[in-house]
Amino acid sequence: MIRNSIINHSRWFLFPSFFVRYLSNQNRSIVKNFDKKLFDYFYACRLKEFNNNREQMSDHIRTHIESILKTSSALNYLISLNSTNQQQLLSLTISIEQLRDILFFAYEHNIKLNLIVKHLIQCVSSNANHKLDSNLFIELMNLLVLHQQKYYDITTKDPNEILQKFINHLELSLTKDQIKTISLTDLSLLCSAMYRLQISLKNVNLLDYIAQYLIDDEKKKSLSAVDKQNFIKMLTLSNYGEKTVAESLANRFNQSFEQHMRPNLHLLSYEIVRMTMRIGIYFSMFRFYSDRFFENCWKLIELESNSSMPSYRAKDIIQIMNTLIYMGYIRKTSLKYLDLIRTHQQMNQFNDKSERLVDVLAPLAMINCFPEDLLEQLFTKENLNRLTESRMKEKLFFISQSYRIVCASSQRSLLDQNYLKTLPHHLFGSWEIEKRKRPYFSIVMQRLLECVPDRLCVKSAFLLKHFKSPDIIICLNAKQQPQIIPNGTMKNISTFTEDDCSVFALQVLSEEELCTNESFRPLGLFYSKAHQLKKLKYIPVIVYPNDSLHQIKTKNEVFEWIVQRAQKTELLLNENLL
């Protein structure tokens, strides 16, 4: 995936929770209880091998580990190593089974080896276990979770490449036949563990196996809400986007959702809302559009925005809102989005939480909604000094620039010039990256240059720097003849009257800016940019990746095509009024 693509420019609207998770005390309690049940499950599986004789199993594992570590007290030895982080003292070669036994033994005795697991992984013999047992793999992944492993280093926040390479090596070694033997329960636990580790799956056969469960569930209706969410989270994290999976999810969800909506709107369970959010994230991951599913999402927004007290978690319901905005599902009653935010604002969801406030105001800025009190609460010197992460700066820049354009009557400046000078250069986009993503851009540019008497009649630029998509500018008079663009016109076109000429801004879209299953439906960021261009008196013109402009033979027909496409663009914008 291209880092600087327009879709990634939108991603920060959608997935702040993928990278930073703030758990309440209640959530920590739930996780702790889940971890206990998780270990109990694998403990019971092992106990069966010893005919439910706990003492025999415990003695066997302890003596086995002491022989590996060459110590008379495995418990004290592991406590000492982990507490002092003396990894250099641990010099041994172990198998994957032995690594699993060490982690199992330690956790059974309430020791979390979070400091030495990375080194233990390095001790695993690379020649061991050519044929990895799927049950061993699943238990090992969950034990890594229980020992608090992450895809990044806890102290430095650097990627834990040792853990990631180790896990991907193991899961890629699983054969298709081995994967077919994994039970539904174990598959769900595997997905849960991998998601908590935040490490994606690379084994296509394993991903296909997970996807098939979701496809079959449309008719069988056999998956629990927890299993289904685990599968969706894993496919999303692994960038596994399939139309058949999405269609099955949408059909199954719509049936269930609409059935629950009929008797009583207020009886919707937490799991239904959670499922809505998860499916929405999955659809937005690979830009799948489902009008009926999004309509049901909208009903949830309406339900919550009309309530005096929030019925669901702000994190979930706001994520659903962000998905609708990102996917371009915008309705004339989009002020319901603001009503939703106000409902959660009354519950102090944004007090002293500047990151959460940014994650709310950035999507609202996409639909030209700027609550002044929340902007004032966010744009303080203290918050700006605190929000130094590049992703946050990009959002602040987007909010500020959008506000300046849409609320032109306001004299207030959200970001001063000194702050703008400190922004990383990549926030303003890259010619090379953007044009490489959209090869048709250069073709359109060349065709227009062939049709004009002077190269100054056509220009390419980033008109709005908070959108990373480039623009092609052309001026046509009332007779649809090209005009030279004077210097400075792109910043201020008020010198051009409607009688003189019209200034068209051609938006040559890339594949990533359109829905995968509806190739003529752009994502929400296009509507946002087009509206802001109109505020600046430009006439937006949508140009699709494989359009026909280059095939038009005569110059007059080229200019006529631009005017007609501008009219179609206007109709498209009217269908999604902001």
Side-chain angles (χ1 to χ4, degrees), residues 514-568:
L514 299 164
C515 297
T516 52
N517 59 322
E518 295 191 22
S519 57
F520 294 104
R521 182 183 293 276
L523 301 181
L525 205 59
F526 166 79
Y527 298 107
S528 180
K529 182 177 181 181
H531 179 82
Q532 292 187 28
L533 287 171
K534 288 179 65 177
K535 291 288 287 187
L536 296 175
K537 307 302 181 184
Y538 290 96
I539 300 176
V541 179
I542 188 170
V543 182
Y544 295 102
N546 299 305
D547 232 321
S548 58
L549 182 60
H550 67 288
Q551 297 174 347
I552 299 174
K553 295 181 179 180
T554 69
K555 298 177 182 179
N556 290 338
E557 287 175 336
V558 167
F559 303 137
E560 184 179 345
W561 184 95
I562 292 174
V563 174
Q564 291 177 350
R565 179 54 64 86
Q567 294 169 351
K568 291 182 179 179

Short mmCIF file of all heavy atoms in Angstrom, two decimals, residues 514-568:
data_model
loop_
_atom_site.label_atom_id
_atom_site.label_comp_id
_atom_site.label_asym_id
_atom_site.label_seq_id
_atom_site.Cartn_x
_atom_site.Cartn_y
_atom_site.Cartn_z
N LEU A 514 -11.66 5.33 -5.44
CA LEU A 514 -12.98 4.87 -5.87
C LEU A 514 -13.32 3.57 -5.14
O LEU A 514 -12.44 2.85 -4.68
CB LEU A 514 -12.99 4.62 -7.38
CG LEU A 514 -12.70 5.83 -8.27
CD1 LEU A 514 -12.35 5.37 -9.68
CD2 LEU A 514 -13.90 6.77 -8.31
N CYS A 515 -14.60 3.29 -5.04
CA CYS A 515 -15.04 2.03 -4.44
C CYS A 515 -14.65 0.87 -5.35
O CYS A 515 -14.73 0.97 -6.57
CB CYS A 515 -16.55 2.05 -4.22
SG CYS A 515 -17.10 3.32 -3.06
N THR A 516 -14.23 -0.22 -4.74
CA THR A 516 -13.77 -1.35 -5.53
C THR A 516 -14.90 -2.04 -6.28
O THR A 516 -14.70 -2.55 -7.39
CB THR A 516 -13.11 -2.40 -4.62
OG1 THR A 516 -14.00 -2.72 -3.54
CG2 THR A 516 -11.80 -1.88 -4.05
N ASN A 517 -16.11 -2.04 -5.73
CA ASN A 517 -17.23 -2.73 -6.36
C ASN A 517 -18.15 -1.79 -7.12
O ASN A 517 -19.11 -2.23 -7.75
CB ASN A 517 -18.04 -3.52 -5.33
CG ASN A 517 -18.59 -2.63 -4.23
OD1 ASN A 517 -17.93 -1.70 -3.77
ND2 ASN A 517 -19.80 -2.92 -3.79
N GLU A 518 -17.90 -0.49 -7.05
CA GLU A 518 -18.64 0.50 -7.83
C GLU A 518 -17.64 1.53 -8.35
O GLU A 518 -17.35 2.52 -7.69
CB GLU A 518 -19.74 1.16 -7.00
CG GLU A 518 -20.82 0.19 -6.56
CD GLU A 518 -22.04 0.91 -5.97
OE1 GLU A 518 -22.22 2.10 -6.27
OE2 GLU A 518 -22.80 0.26 -5.24
N SER A 519 -17.11 1.26 -9.52
CA SER A 519 -15.94 1.99 -10.01
C SER A 519 -16.22 3.44 -10.36
O SER A 519 -15.29 4.20 -10.64
CB SER A 519 -15.36 1.28 -11.25
OG SER A 519 -16.35 1.15 -12.26
N PHE A 520 -17.48 3.87 -10.35
CA PHE A 520 -17.79 5.27 -10.62
C PHE A 520 -18.26 6.00 -9.36
O PHE A 520 -18.82 7.09 -9.44
CB PHE A 520 -18.85 5.39 -11.73
CG PHE A 520 -18.38 4.92 -13.07
CD1 PHE A 520 -18.78 3.70 -13.58
CD2 PHE A 520 -17.50 5.69 -13.82
CE1 PHE A 520 -18.32 3.25 -14.81
CE2 PHE A 520 -17.04 5.25 -15.06
CZ PHE A 520 -17.46 4.03 -15.56
N ARG A 521 -18.05 5.38 -8.22
CA ARG A 521 -18.44 6.01 -6.97
C ARG A 521 -17.17 6.42 -6.22
O ARG A 521 -16.46 5.56 -5.69
CB ARG A 521 -19.28 5.06 -6.11
CG ARG A 521 -19.77 5.69 -4.81
CD ARG A 521 -20.52 4.68 -3.96
NE ARG A 521 -21.77 4.29 -4.57
CZ ARG A 521 -22.91 4.98 -4.47
NH1 ARG A 521 -22.93 6.10 -3.76
NH2 ARG A 521 -24.01 4.55 -5.04
N PRO A 522 -16.88 7.71 -6.11
CA PRO A 522 -15.69 8.14 -5.38
C PRO A 522 -15.89 8.08 -3.87
O PRO A 522 -17.02 8.05 -3.39
CB PRO A 522 -15.50 9.59 -5.85
CG PRO A 522 -16.85 10.04 -6.28
CD PRO A 522 -17.57 8.82 -6.78
N LEU A 523 -14.78 8.07 -3.15
CA LEU A 523 -14.83 8.06 -1.69
C LEU A 523 -15.11 9.47 -1.17
O LEU A 523 -15.12 10.44 -1.91
CB LEU A 523 -13.51 7.54 -1.13
CG LEU A 523 -13.11 6.13 -1.56
CD1 LEU A 523 -11.78 5.73 -0.92
CD2 LEU A 523 -14.19 5.12 -1.19
N GLY A 524 -15.32 9.55 0.13
CA GLY A 524 -15.76 10.80 0.74
C GLY A 524 -14.81 11.96 0.57
O GLY A 524 -15.24 13.12 0.52
N LEU A 525 -13.52 11.69 0.50
CA LEU A 525 -12.56 12.78 0.40
C LEU A 525 -12.71 13.55 -0.90
O LEU A 525 -12.43 14.76 -0.95
CB LEU A 525 -11.13 12.22 0.53
CG LEU A 525 -10.08 13.21 1.04
CD1 LEU A 525 -10.45 13.72 2.42
CD2 LEU A 525 -8.72 12.55 1.08
N PHE A 526 -13.16 12.88 -1.97
CA PHE A 526 -13.40 13.59 -3.23
C PHE A 526 -14.50 14.63 -3.06
O PHE A 526 -14.37 15.77 -3.52
CB PHE A 526 -13.78 12.62 -4.34
CG PHE A 526 -14.37 13.31 -5.55
CD1 PHE A 526 -13.55 13.94 -6.46
CD2 PHE A 526 -15.75 13.37 -5.74
CE1 PHE A 526 -14.08 14.61 -7.56
CE2 PHE A 526 -16.29 14.03 -6.82
CZ PHE A 526 -15.45 14.65 -7.74
N TYR A 527 -15.60 14.25 -2.42
CA TYR A 527 -16.71 15.18 -2.22
C TYR A 527 -16.26 16.38 -1.39
O TYR A 527 -16.65 17.51 -1.65
CB TYR A 527 -17.87 14.47 -1.53
CG TYR A 527 -18.45 13.34 -2.32
CD1 TYR A 527 -18.22 12.02 -1.95
CD2 TYR A 527 -19.23 13.57 -3.44
CE1 TYR A 527 -18.74 10.96 -2.69
CE2 TYR A 527 -19.76 12.52 -4.19
CZ TYR A 527 -19.51 11.21 -3.80
OH TYR A 527 -20.03 10.18 -4.52
N SER A 528 -15.43 16.10 -0.39
CA SER A 528 -14.94 17.17 0.46
C SER A 528 -14.09 18.16 -0.33
O SER A 528 -14.27 19.37 -0.25
CB SER A 528 -14.11 16.58 1.61
OG SER A 528 -13.61 17.59 2.45
N LYS A 529 -13.17 17.63 -1.14
CA LYS A 529 -12.31 18.51 -1.92
C LYS A 529 -13.11 19.27 -2.98
O LYS A 529 -12.89 20.48 -3.18
CB LYS A 529 -11.19 17.71 -2.60
CG LYS A 529 -10.25 18.61 -3.39
CD LYS A 529 -9.09 17.84 -4.00
CE LYS A 529 -8.18 18.82 -4.76
NZ LYS A 529 -7.04 18.14 -5.40
N ALA A 530 -14.03 18.58 -3.65
CA ALA A 530 -14.83 19.24 -4.68
C ALA A 530 -15.63 20.39 -4.09
O ALA A 530 -15.75 21.47 -4.71
CB ALA A 530 -15.75 18.23 -5.34
N HIS A 531 -16.19 20.20 -2.92
CA HIS A 531 -16.96 21.27 -2.28
C HIS A 531 -16.06 22.46 -1.97
O HIS A 531 -16.45 23.62 -2.18
CB HIS A 531 -17.60 20.76 -1.00
CG HIS A 531 -18.40 21.80 -0.27
ND1 HIS A 531 -19.69 22.13 -0.61
CD2 HIS A 531 -18.06 22.61 0.77
CE1 HIS A 531 -20.13 23.09 0.19
NE2 HIS A 531 -19.16 23.39 1.04
N GLN A 532 -14.86 22.20 -1.46
CA GLN A 532 -13.95 23.30 -1.13
C GLN A 532 -13.47 24.02 -2.39
O GLN A 532 -13.27 25.24 -2.40
CB GLN A 532 -12.79 22.77 -0.31
CG GLN A 532 -13.22 22.30 1.08
CD GLN A 532 -12.07 21.93 1.97
OE1 GLN A 532 -10.96 22.45 1.83
NE2 GLN A 532 -12.31 21.04 2.93
N LEU A 533 -13.29 23.28 -3.48
CA LEU A 533 -12.93 23.93 -4.74
C LEU A 533 -14.05 24.86 -5.20
O LEU A 533 -13.78 25.97 -5.70
CB LEU A 533 -12.66 22.87 -5.82
CG LEU A 533 -11.35 22.09 -5.70
CD1 LEU A 533 -11.31 20.94 -6.70
CD2 LEU A 533 -10.15 23.01 -5.91
N LYS A 534 -15.29 24.43 -5.03
CA LYS A 534 -16.42 25.27 -5.41
C LYS A 534 -16.46 26.54 -4.56
O LYS A 534 -16.79 27.62 -5.06
CB LYS A 534 -17.73 24.50 -5.25
CG LYS A 534 -17.94 23.43 -6.32
CD LYS A 534 -19.24 22.68 -6.10
CE LYS A 534 -20.44 23.60 -6.28
NZ LYS A 534 -21.72 22.87 -6.13
N LYS A 535 -16.12 26.42 -3.28
CA LYS A 535 -16.08 27.60 -2.41
C LYS A 535 -15.05 28.61 -2.90
O LYS A 535 -15.20 29.82 -2.70
CB LYS A 535 -15.75 27.18 -0.98
CG LYS A 535 -16.83 26.39 -0.28
CD LYS A 535 -18.03 27.25 0.11
CE LYS A 535 -17.72 28.16 1.26
NZ LYS A 535 -18.92 28.88 1.75
N LEU A 536 -14.02 28.12 -3.57
CA LEU A 536 -12.98 28.99 -4.12
C LEU A 536 -13.27 29.40 -5.56
O LEU A 536 -12.39 29.94 -6.24
CB LEU A 536 -11.62 28.29 -4.04
CG LEU A 536 -11.10 28.00 -2.63
CD1 LEU A 536 -9.79 27.20 -2.70
CD2 LEU A 536 -10.89 29.29 -1.85
N LYS A 537 -14.48 29.11 -6.04
CA LYS A 537 -14.96 29.50 -7.37
C LYS A 537 -14.40 28.67 -8.51
O LYS A 537 -14.48 29.05 -9.68
CB LYS A 537 -14.67 30.99 -7.65
CG LYS A 537 -15.20 31.95 -6.58
CD LYS A 537 -16.70 31.82 -6.39
CE LYS A 537 -17.21 32.79 -5.33
NZ LYS A 537 -18.66 32.62 -5.05
N TYR A 538 -13.78 27.53 -8.19
CA TYR A 538 -13.39 26.60 -9.23
C TYR A 538 -14.59 25.72 -9.58
O TYR A 538 -15.49 25.52 -8.76
CB TYR A 538 -12.23 25.71 -8.78
CG TYR A 538 -10.91 26.40 -8.64
CD1 TYR A 538 -10.48 26.87 -7.40
CD2 TYR A 538 -10.09 26.59 -9.75
CE1 TYR A 538 -9.26 27.50 -7.27
CE2 TYR A 538 -8.87 27.23 -9.62
CZ TYR A 538 -8.46 27.69 -8.38
OH TYR A 538 -7.25 28.32 -8.26
N ILE A 539 -14.57 25.16 -10.77
CA ILE A 539 -15.60 24.20 -11.18
C ILE A 539 -14.95 22.82 -11.20
O ILE A 539 -14.11 22.54 -12.07
CB ILE A 539 -16.17 24.54 -12.57
CG1 ILE A 539 -16.80 25.94 -12.55
CG2 ILE A 539 -17.20 23.50 -12.99
CD1 ILE A 539 -17.30 26.39 -13.92
N PRO A 540 -15.28 21.95 -10.25
CA PRO A 540 -14.62 20.63 -10.21
C PRO A 540 -15.10 19.73 -11.34
O PRO A 540 -16.27 19.74 -11.73
CB PRO A 540 -15.05 20.07 -8.84
CG PRO A 540 -16.30 20.80 -8.50
CD PRO A 540 -16.21 22.15 -9.14
N VAL A 541 -14.18 18.95 -11.85
CA VAL A 541 -14.47 18.01 -12.93
C VAL A 541 -13.86 16.66 -12.55
O VAL A 541 -12.65 16.55 -12.39
CB VAL A 541 -13.87 18.48 -14.27
CG1 VAL A 541 -14.16 17.46 -15.37
CG2 VAL A 541 -14.39 19.86 -14.65
N ILE A 542 -14.69 15.65 -12.41
CA ILE A 542 -14.18 14.33 -12.06
C ILE A 542 -13.72 13.60 -13.32
O ILE A 542 -14.41 13.58 -14.34
CB ILE A 542 -15.26 13.50 -11.31
CG1 ILE A 542 -14.65 12.20 -10.78
CG2 ILE A 542 -16.45 13.20 -12.20
CD1 ILE A 542 -15.58 11.44 -9.84
N VAL A 543 -12.53 13.04 -13.25
CA VAL A 543 -11.96 12.26 -14.36
C VAL A 543 -11.56 10.90 -13.79
O VAL A 543 -10.77 10.83 -12.84
CB VAL A 543 -10.73 12.95 -14.98
CG1 VAL A 543 -10.20 12.14 -16.15
CG2 VAL A 543 -11.08 14.37 -15.43
N TYR A 544 -12.12 9.84 -14.35
CA TYR A 544 -11.87 8.50 -13.83
C TYR A 544 -10.56 7.93 -14.38
O TYR A 544 -10.04 8.40 -15.41
CB TYR A 544 -13.05 7.59 -14.18
CG TYR A 544 -14.33 8.02 -13.49
CD1 TYR A 544 -15.31 8.72 -14.19
CD2 TYR A 544 -14.54 7.73 -12.15
CE1 TYR A 544 -16.48 9.12 -13.56
CE2 TYR A 544 -15.71 8.13 -11.51
CZ TYR A 544 -16.68 8.83 -12.23
OH TYR A 544 -17.82 9.23 -11.59
N PRO A 545 -9.99 6.93 -13.72
CA PRO A 545 -8.66 6.40 -14.09
C PRO A 545 -8.55 5.94 -15.54
O PRO A 545 -7.48 6.05 -16.15
CB PRO A 545 -8.47 5.23 -13.12
CG PRO A 545 -9.34 5.54 -11.96
CD PRO A 545 -10.51 6.26 -12.50
N ASN A 546 -9.64 5.40 -16.09
CA ASN A 546 -9.59 4.89 -17.47
C ASN A 546 -10.64 5.61 -18.32
O ASN A 546 -11.42 4.97 -19.04
CB ASN A 546 -9.83 3.38 -17.49
CG ASN A 546 -8.78 2.63 -16.70
OD1 ASN A 546 -7.60 2.78 -16.97
ND2 ASN A 546 -9.20 1.85 -15.73
N ASP A 547 -10.63 6.92 -18.25
CA ASP A 547 -11.64 7.71 -18.94
C ASP A 547 -11.34 7.82 -20.43
O ASP A 547 -10.35 7.27 -20.92
CB ASP A 547 -11.76 9.09 -18.30
CG ASP A 547 -13.19 9.44 -17.95
OD1 ASP A 547 -14.07 9.10 -18.74
OD2 ASP A 547 -13.43 10.04 -16.88
N SER A 548 -12.16 8.58 -21.14
CA SER A 548 -12.09 8.60 -22.61
C SER A 548 -11.60 9.92 -23.19
O SER A 548 -11.64 10.10 -24.40
CB SER A 548 -13.49 8.30 -23.18
OG SER A 548 -14.43 9.25 -22.70
N LEU A 549 -11.12 10.83 -22.35
CA LEU A 549 -10.75 12.14 -22.85
C LEU A 549 -9.66 12.07 -23.92
O LEU A 549 -9.70 12.79 -24.92
CB LEU A 549 -10.29 13.03 -21.69
CG LEU A 549 -9.90 14.47 -22.07
CD1 LEU A 549 -11.08 15.20 -22.70
CD2 LEU A 549 -9.41 15.23 -20.85
N HIS A 550 -8.70 11.20 -23.75
CA HIS A 550 -7.59 11.12 -24.70
C HIS A 550 -8.01 10.59 -26.07
O HIS A 550 -7.30 10.74 -27.06
CB HIS A 550 -6.47 10.23 -24.14
CG HIS A 550 -6.85 8.79 -24.01
ND1 HIS A 550 -7.73 8.33 -23.06
CD2 HIS A 550 -6.48 7.69 -24.74
CE1 HIS A 550 -7.88 7.03 -23.19
NE2 HIS A 550 -7.14 6.61 -24.21
N GLN A 551 -9.19 9.96 -26.13
CA GLN A 551 -9.67 9.38 -27.38
C GLN A 551 -10.46 10.39 -28.23
O GLN A 551 -10.73 10.14 -29.40
CB GLN A 551 -10.56 8.17 -27.09
CG GLN A 551 -9.83 7.03 -26.39
CD GLN A 551 -10.77 5.91 -25.98
OE1 GLN A 551 -11.98 6.07 -26.01
NE2 GLN A 551 -10.20 4.77 -25.63
N ILE A 552 -10.80 11.52 -27.64
CA ILE A 552 -11.57 12.53 -28.37
C ILE A 552 -10.65 13.24 -29.37
O ILE A 552 -9.56 13.69 -29.01
CB ILE A 552 -12.20 13.53 -27.39
CG1 ILE A 552 -13.14 12.79 -26.43
CG2 ILE A 552 -12.95 14.62 -28.12
CD1 ILE A 552 -13.71 13.64 -25.33
N LYS A 553 -11.11 13.36 -30.59
CA LYS A 553 -10.22 13.79 -31.67
C LYS A 553 -10.09 15.30 -31.79
O LYS A 553 -8.99 15.84 -31.83
CB LYS A 553 -10.69 13.18 -32.99
CG LYS A 553 -10.60 11.66 -33.01
CD LYS A 553 -11.04 11.09 -34.34
CE LYS A 553 -10.91 9.56 -34.36
NZ LYS A 553 -11.34 8.97 -35.65
N THR A 554 -11.18 16.03 -31.87
CA THR A 554 -11.08 17.47 -32.15
C THR A 554 -10.94 18.27 -30.86
O THR A 554 -11.40 17.85 -29.79
CB THR A 554 -12.32 17.96 -32.92
OG1 THR A 554 -13.45 17.91 -32.06
CG2 THR A 554 -12.57 17.10 -34.14
N LYS A 555 -10.34 19.46 -30.97
CA LYS A 555 -10.14 20.32 -29.81
C LYS A 555 -11.47 20.76 -29.21
O LYS A 555 -11.66 20.74 -27.99
CB LYS A 555 -9.31 21.54 -30.21
CG LYS A 555 -7.93 21.21 -30.72
CD LYS A 555 -7.21 22.47 -31.18
CE LYS A 555 -5.83 22.13 -31.75
NZ LYS A 555 -5.13 23.36 -32.22
N ASN A 556 -12.39 21.17 -30.07
CA ASN A 556 -13.67 21.65 -29.57
C ASN A 556 -14.41 20.56 -28.79
O ASN A 556 -15.08 20.83 -27.79
CB ASN A 556 -14.54 22.15 -30.72
CG ASN A 556 -14.01 23.44 -31.32
OD1 ASN A 556 -13.26 24.18 -30.67
ND2 ASN A 556 -14.37 23.73 -32.56
N GLU A 557 -14.30 19.34 -29.27
CA GLU A 557 -14.96 18.23 -28.57
C GLU A 557 -14.32 17.97 -27.20
O GLU A 557 -15.01 17.59 -26.25
CB GLU A 557 -14.90 16.96 -29.43
CG GLU A 557 -15.82 16.99 -30.64
CD GLU A 557 -15.66 15.77 -31.53
OE1 GLU A 557 -14.57 15.15 -31.49
OE2 GLU A 557 -16.60 15.45 -32.26
N VAL A 558 -13.02 18.20 -27.11
CA VAL A 558 -12.32 18.03 -25.82
C VAL A 558 -12.87 19.03 -24.81
O VAL A 558 -13.20 18.68 -23.66
CB VAL A 558 -10.81 18.22 -25.99
CG1 VAL A 558 -10.13 18.37 -24.63
CG2 VAL A 558 -10.20 17.04 -26.73
N PHE A 559 -12.99 20.31 -25.24
CA PHE A 559 -13.49 21.34 -24.32
C PHE A 559 -14.96 21.11 -23.99
O PHE A 559 -15.40 21.35 -22.86
CB PHE A 559 -13.28 22.73 -24.92
CG PHE A 559 -11.84 23.02 -25.27
CD1 PHE A 559 -11.49 23.65 -26.46
CD2 PHE A 559 -10.82 22.64 -24.41
CE1 PHE A 559 -10.17 23.90 -26.78
CE2 PHE A 559 -9.49 22.89 -24.72
CZ PHE A 559 -9.17 23.52 -25.90
N GLU A 560 -15.71 20.63 -24.96
CA GLU A 560 -17.12 20.31 -24.71
C GLU A 560 -17.23 19.16 -23.71
O GLU A 560 -18.12 19.16 -22.84
CB GLU A 560 -17.80 19.95 -26.03
CG GLU A 560 -19.30 19.69 -25.90
CD GLU A 560 -19.94 19.36 -27.23
OE1 GLU A 560 -19.32 19.59 -28.29
OE2 GLU A 560 -21.08 18.85 -27.21
N TRP A 561 -16.33 18.19 -23.83
CA TRP A 561 -16.32 17.06 -22.89
C TRP A 561 -16.10 17.55 -21.46
O TRP A 561 -16.75 17.08 -20.52
CB TRP A 561 -15.21 16.08 -23.29
CG TRP A 561 -15.14 14.82 -22.48
CD1 TRP A 561 -15.71 13.63 -22.79
CD2 TRP A 561 -14.45 14.62 -21.24
NE1 TRP A 561 -15.43 12.69 -21.82
CE2 TRP A 561 -14.66 13.27 -20.85
CE3 TRP A 561 -13.69 15.44 -20.41
CZ2 TRP A 561 -14.12 12.75 -19.68
CZ3 TRP A 561 -13.16 14.92 -19.22
CH2 TRP A 561 -13.37 13.59 -18.88
N ILE A 562 -15.18 18.50 -21.29
CA ILE A 562 -14.88 19.04 -19.95
C ILE A 562 -16.12 19.71 -19.37
O ILE A 562 -16.47 19.49 -18.20
CB ILE A 562 -13.71 20.03 -20.02
CG1 ILE A 562 -12.41 19.28 -20.35
CG2 ILE A 562 -13.56 20.80 -18.70
CD1 ILE A 562 -11.22 20.18 -20.59
N VAL A 563 -16.81 20.51 -20.17
CA VAL A 563 -18.01 21.20 -19.69
C VAL A 563 -19.10 20.19 -19.32
O VAL A 563 -19.74 20.31 -18.27
CB VAL A 563 -18.52 22.20 -20.76
CG1 VAL A 563 -19.84 22.80 -20.34
CG2 VAL A 563 -17.48 23.29 -21.01
N GLN A 564 -19.30 19.21 -20.17
CA GLN A 564 -20.33 18.20 -19.88
C GLN A 564 -19.97 17.39 -18.64
O GLN A 564 -20.85 17.08 -17.83
CB GLN A 564 -20.51 17.29 -21.09
CG GLN A 564 -21.15 17.98 -22.30
CD GLN A 564 -21.25 17.06 -23.51
OE1 GLN A 564 -20.68 15.97 -23.53
NE2 GLN A 564 -21.97 17.53 -24.54
N ARG A 565 -18.70 17.05 -18.50
CA ARG A 565 -18.30 16.28 -17.33
C ARG A 565 -18.43 17.13 -16.06
O ARG A 565 -18.74 16.60 -14.99
CB ARG A 565 -16.86 15.77 -17.49
CG ARG A 565 -16.34 14.96 -16.30
CD ARG A 565 -17.27 13.78 -15.93
NE ARG A 565 -17.35 12.79 -16.98
CZ ARG A 565 -16.48 11.79 -17.13
NH1 ARG A 565 -15.46 11.68 -16.30
NH2 ARG A 565 -16.63 10.92 -18.10
N ALA A 566 -18.20 18.42 -16.17
CA ALA A 566 -18.39 19.31 -15.02
C ALA A 566 -19.86 19.29 -14.57
O ALA A 566 -20.15 19.29 -13.37
CB ALA A 566 -17.97 20.73 -15.37
N GLN A 567 -20.77 19.24 -15.54
CA GLN A 567 -22.20 19.18 -15.21
C GLN A 567 -22.53 17.86 -14.52
O GLN A 567 -23.31 17.82 -13.56
CB GLN A 567 -23.03 19.36 -16.48
CG GLN A 567 -22.88 20.74 -17.11
CD GLN A 567 -23.49 20.82 -18.51
OE1 GLN A 567 -23.87 19.80 -19.10
NE2 GLN A 567 -23.56 22.04 -19.06
N LYS A 568 -21.95 16.77 -15.00
CA LYS A 568 -22.18 15.46 -14.36
C LYS A 568 -21.58 15.42 -12.96
O LYS A 568 -22.14 14.81 -12.06
CB LYS A 568 -21.58 14.35 -15.23
CG LYS A 568 -22.31 14.12 -16.55
CD LYS A 568 -21.69 12.99 -17.33
CE LYS A 568 -22.44 12.75 -18.64
NZ LYS A 568 -21.82 11.66 -19.44
#
